[in-house]
Amino acid sequence: MSLNYIKNFYEGCVKPPTVIGQFHTLFFGSIRMFFLGVLGFAVYGNEALHFSCDPDRREINLFCYNQFRPITPQVFWALQLVIVLVPGATFHLYAAFKSISQECILQKPIYTVVYIVSVLVRISLEVISFWLQIHLFGFQVTPLYLCDAGSLGGKFTIIKCMVPDHFEKTIFLIAMYTFTVITMVLCVAEVFEIIFRRLCFLIKQ
């Protein structure tokens, strides 16, 4: 009994019912998370320490860095990964709990519709994340940031700050945009695969 439950949980939670869905899980869960966890830390890990302004004082550096980075890219992308995983994870947990097989997802209309809805929600979350990423980070990291320090009450209102490793950050930023686009394309392709396989099942009946 318990072994069957574990088997169903594994199949429901780990293996999506479509080939493209399985590839998406591999791409999303392995490559994208590895890229963010390993390379993201290497590129952005010490950014706050190396962010310097003129005049180079700790309080000014911290103030301008917080203005430059309202949210750090690592935190944003980690939240994006978690939030985008929620719809699919919720469906697969439900499928494991109810012992719903992969065949049932594609054969029973109610399960097919719910699964497609979870994929569409995933696409919507990716689109929202893509828009927020553009709004927060843009497409290029410039080497010089002009900080509005008027609220500090000093004699300087606009302070020049140097952004460390700006070229590496630009490359990494483009890579994360690319990953988001790839996952959205995979999600759209998965919807078409589900519809195609559903039609094939109906024709065979």
Side-chain angles (χ1 to χ4, degrees):
M1 178 75 177
S2 60
L3 290 177
N4 288 333
Y5 179 80
I6 293 173
K7 179 176 178 292
N8 291 332
F9 180 85
Y10 176 81
E11 290 180 350
C13 291
V14 178
K15 293 181 66 178
T18 62
V19 175
I20 295 176
Q22 293 175 22
F23 180 77
H24 172 269
T25 300
L26 174 65
F27 178 82
F28 192 98
S30 302
I31 301 176
R32 195 172 175 181
M33 288 185 178
F34 175 82
F35 192 86
L36 176 59
V38 176
L39 297 182
F41 179 80
V43 174
Y44 290 96
N46 297 319
E47 184 182 46
L49 295 177
H50 297 137
F51 187 88
S52 60
C53 302
D54 184 20
D56 188 8
R57 295 205 297 264
R58 176 176 172 76
E59 64 274 14
I60 293 178
N61 291 342
L62 288 175
F63 177 85
C64 291
Y65 181 75
N66 289 333
Q67 187 180 119
F68 174 66
R69 294 284 192 214
I71 180 173
T72 58
Q74 308 101 299
V75 173
F76 175 84
W77 288 320
L79 288 173
Q80 176 187 3
L81 293 179
V82 171
I83 292 172
V84 170
L85 282 174
V86 168
T90 302
F91 176 85
H92 291 310
L93 285 172
Y94 176 79
F97 181 75
K98 294 293 185 179
S99 298
I100 301 171
S101 65
Q102 297 173 4
E103 291 75 16
C104 286
I105 296 174
L106 294 174
Q107 293 173 2
K108 293 189 176 182
I110 182 63
Y111 297 146
T112 304
V113 171
V114 173
Y115 186 78
I116 289 176
V117 169
S118 71
V119 176
L120 293 176
V121 171
R122 196 191 313 159
I123 295 172
S124 300
L125 292 173
E126 287 281 17
V127 171
I128 293 171
S129 299
F130 191 84
W131 179 83
L132 286 174
Q133 184 175 342
I134 294 174
H135 180 71
L136 290 171
F137 310 124
F139 290 96
Q140 183 180 8
V141 180
T142 57
L144 186 64
Y145 174 72
L146 300 179
C147 172
D148 183 4
S151 59
L152 290 177
K155 61 180 180 178
F156 298 100
T157 55
I158 301 298
I159 294 176
K160 295 181 180 179
C161 301
M162 300 300 296
V163 181
D165 304 323
H166 63 94
F167 183 73
E168 290 183 5
K169 292 180 174 64
T170 299
I171 297 299
F172 196 89
L173 199 61
I174 294 173
M176 294 306 293
Y177 280 121
T178 304
F179 287 150
T180 302
V181 171
I182 290 174
T183 52
M184 285 191 290
V185 171
L186 289 175
C187 289
V188 172
E190 185 178 8
V191 172
F192 282 103
E193 182 185 355
I194 293 170
I195 296 173
F196 175 77
R197 292 181 64 177
R198 175 65 184 169
L199 291 174
C200 290
F201 174 76
L202 293 175
I203 292 172
K204 290 179 181 179
Q205 285 187 321

